[in-house]
Amino acid sequence: MHVGLLPLRQGLACIFFIQIIIERIIAILFRCNQTDMRNIYYGRMKKASKAILIICDSLRRDLIDPSLAPRLSALLAEGCAFTQARGVFPSTTRTSSASIATGCLPARHGLLGNTVVLQEPDGLRCRSVGDPAFRSHLVAATGGTLRMPTLAERMAGHGGAWIMSNVSPGAAYFFDPDGHGEVHHRAGSYGPGRQPLDDSAALTIRSGAAGDTVMTERFCSHLRDGTAPRLSVLWLSEPDHSGHGHPLGSPAHRRGIANADVCVARVLTEVDALRAQGDDVLLAVGSDHGMETVCEHVPVTRWLVEAGLKQSMDSRDVVLAPNGTAFVLGVAPDAQDRIPALVDWLSAQPWCGGVHHGAALSALGLPVGDPCCAIAVDMAHDDRTNDYGVAGFAYVVDDPDEAKNYLGHGQHGGLGRYEQRPFLVFDGGGFAASRASMHAASLIDIAPTLLRHLGLPHDGMDGCALPLDPTT
């Protein structure tokens, strides 16, 4: 080797070593994969593609009007709105959260309601997904959490994901139950690996408009200072919080809708600023389901016992999982011969809107052949209007573990016309502007649509990426 070449080669080796160090620093700061690191280093990286999802819990699309929600109304007119968007069954927030996160129906991801029936060593048992211990019970019973990968899992190593949520803990945590990203919630905030975040990252708020406002400001501050990941999710508690506590359309409920509108407008300001600096931002705004007015509570479990179809209130032969205006019945393997009698009795009840079992469960997106979900019931609904002119009434099933009375207030969970009336609109990311499309859409289409924009695979989902111009 020529002696004169040694200093040159040593210098090149030093430069290469420095390059590696720089790439690693970039990876930490920007949460990039190796390809993106090299693109940034060599100046080949375009401005980042980002996606932002906002969910206004329980906001029916027919209750969005310019006088109450001017910014949402304008967004629906200026963006690409899917006017036939539907939720999932049961139309509960926790199930909806899992379906949005995975792009899959409940039969695939496995979370069948706000409460679910689990097969435990001592028999069937109803468990609330909102219970802090639920995750442990689910893992013990099934060996895992959700059966399909979440958005946070798919985003790991590709810019990251987080959710800031002010709804129930179960709905927040089951958006990312295994800690692939960050979950910020008033009951506790967690980072990757489900490691608790420090106090400065905690959300010390309450459900409702005031808490939503504080959370939205925190969310916007991260968008503004560049510390937000590529996928950011904001899940507002309004108008679900006010709808459960007050009549639909009442002044309190209308204030909840108006506050959600203000929060969305606040995020839109930051989105405009990101786009002005060159970022390619896809904004998705929607709701998980609607609400209907409760006309009567039904003590289904007690009546099943009185009809001789269940041994006792606490027996494990037939176990009911209440989900507002719907419920699921688990039937133990040694009681399966009771299913025809259960179906006949339920179908004859005036408060029962629809009874589904066997192969018919698949049409609802529920599993077939699972003792934990032998029968699914949608409670009866009608189109009466309440004192504030809001249409839609429904029966609800009593929850023995919850003393709340929703009579005259809003509830959801079933297949009612107004429960299955969420709204969904996309802005930016190549979507056509000023479109009101009749194209079929569902909660399960949100994840693949976001991932397509971010340039990531969205295979294995029940949902599909929605067309950018649904008129073509």
Side-chain angles (χ1 to χ4, degrees):
M1 180 181 297
H2 195 284
V3 175
L5 293 178
L6 283 175
L8 175 61
R9 295 197 174 189
Q10 288 171 347
L12 291 173
C14 183
I15 292 171
F16 182 70
F17 177 75
I18 292 172
Q19 175 184 333
I20 293 174
I21 298 298
I22 292 174
E23 289 177 356
R24 290 181 178 177
I25 292 172
I26 290 172
I28 293 171
L29 292 177
F30 295 94
R31 309 180 190 186
C32 298
N33 57 31
Q34 187 176 17
T35 300
D36 287 348
M37 284 191 291
R38 294 190 177 277
N39 283 337
I40 291 173
Y41 184 80
Y42 289 112
R44 294 195 298 260
M45 193 72 167
K46 295 180 180 180
K47 282 291 186 177
S49 59
K50 298 177 180 177
I52 297 171
L53 170 64
I54 307 173
I55 298 294
C56 306
D57 203 295
S58 290
L59 181 51
R60 285 167 44 166
R61 64 175 174 264
D62 62 315
L63 297 184
I64 300 173
D65 67 73
S67 65
L68 189 59
R71 195 61 192 90
L72 281 170
S73 297
L75 184 62
L76 286 166
E78 297 166 1
C80 186
F82 289 84
T83 62
Q84 301 303 303
R86 288 182 60 83
V88 294
F89 180 85
S91 54
T92 61
T93 299
R94 296 162 195 169
T95 303
S96 299
S97 176
S99 289
I100 292 173
T102 62
C104 292
L105 295 166
R108 295 280 304 288
H109 62 63
L111 196 70
L112 307 185
N114 276 359
T115 67
V116 300
V117 178
L118 297 180
Q119 177 70 63
E120 299 187 350
D122 57 350
L124 300 180
R125 182 186 289 271
C126 177
R127 297 283 189 184
S128 171
V129 181
D131 182 349
F134 174 76
R135 186 180 185 278
S136 297
H137 291 304
L138 181 63
V139 171
T142 68
T145 57
L146 297 180
R147 299 169 185 166
M148 300 301 293
T150 62
L151 279 166
E153 183 173 353
R154 291 172 181 265
M155 291 299 300
H158 299 283
W162 70 15
I163 179 172
M164 289 191 179
S165 173
N166 198 23
V167 291
S168 73
Y173 297 145
F174 271 83
F175 198 87
D176 178 19
D178 297 315
H180 293 282
E182 294 183 9
V183 177
H184 297 255
H185 190 269
R186 61 184 183 276
S189 298
Y190 299 90
R194 303 190 74 244
Q195 291 298 310
L197 298 176
D198 60 30
D199 290 342
S200 64
L203 276 175
T204 54
I205 59 176
R206 293 183 179 181
S207 181
D212 284 356
T213 299
V214 172
M215 180 178 68
T216 300
E217 287 303 317
R218 170 82 67 86
F219 186 84
C220 289
S221 71
H222 287 290
L223 294 178
R224 187 168 53 253
D225 65 19
T227 57
R230 287 184 72 201
L231 173 60
S232 300
V233 181
L234 181 69
W235 200 303
L236 303 172
S237 68
E238 291 291 9
D240 182 81
H241 178 81
S242 56
H244 282 308
H246 303 273
L248 301 181
S250 67
H253 185 232
R254 290 173 63 83
R255 285 193 297 271
I257 296 173
N259 194 80
D261 186 72
V262 170
C263 290
V264 171
R266 182 70 188 84
V267 176
L268 284 171
T269 298
E270 299 302 333
V271 170
D272 288 343
L274 289 172
R275 288 171 175 165
Q277 69 184 29
D279 287 344
D280 181 11
V281 181
L282 171 62
L283 175 68
V285 185
S287 55
D288 48 347
H289 49 71
M291 273 187 162
E292 295 183 353
T293 299
V294 174
C295 62
E296 186 177 332
H297 281 255
V298 182
V300 178
T301 299
R302 176 163 61 82
W303 288 354
L304 285 172
V305 173
E306 292 175 358
L309 296 169
K310 177 174 166 62
Q311 291 175 1
S312 68
M313 290 291 290
D314 298 323
S315 65
R316 306 297 182 85
D317 54 337
V318 177
V319 176
L320 184 147
N323 282 286
T325 59
F327 64 87
V328 166
L329 281 181
V331 180
D334 60 359
Q336 292 282 305
D337 59 354
R338 222 177 297 170
I339 290 178
L342 284 163
V343 170
D344 288 344
W345 183 83
L346 289 166
S347 300
Q349 306 308 309
W351 41 263
C352 185
V355 183
H356 310 266
H357 66 101
L361 291 169
S362 65
L364 297 181
L366 296 177
V368 176
D370 184 352
C372 294
C373 181
I375 301 172
V377 173
D378 173 41
M379 303 294 272
H381 309 262
D382 64 62
D383 287 335
R384 286 176 293 159
T385 58
N386 69 3
D387 291 341
Y388 295 95
V390 177
F393 273 77
Y395 291 87
V396 297
V397 57
D398 269 351
D399 185 344
D401 297 323
E402 185 180 72
K404 292 181 181 178
N405 188 327
Y406 295 101
L407 191 64
H409 297 173
Q411 187 54 286
H412 51 87
L415 295 169
R417 177 188 304 180
Y418 303 101
E419 295 175 297
Q420 290 289 334
R421 190 174 282 185
F423 77 98
L424 180 61
V425 59
F426 291 88
D427 179 75
F431 271 93
S434 301
R435 289 280 192 276
S437 172
M438 298 285 286
H439 190 281
S442 167
L443 299 185
I444 61 173
D445 298 324
I446 294 174
T449 303
L450 298 178
L451 290 170
R452 177 187 62 192
H453 174 73
L454 296 171
L456 295 175
H458 45 86
D459 53 300
M461 295 182 169
D462 292 329
C464 300
L466 293 167
L468 295 175
D469 188 348
T471 62
T472 61

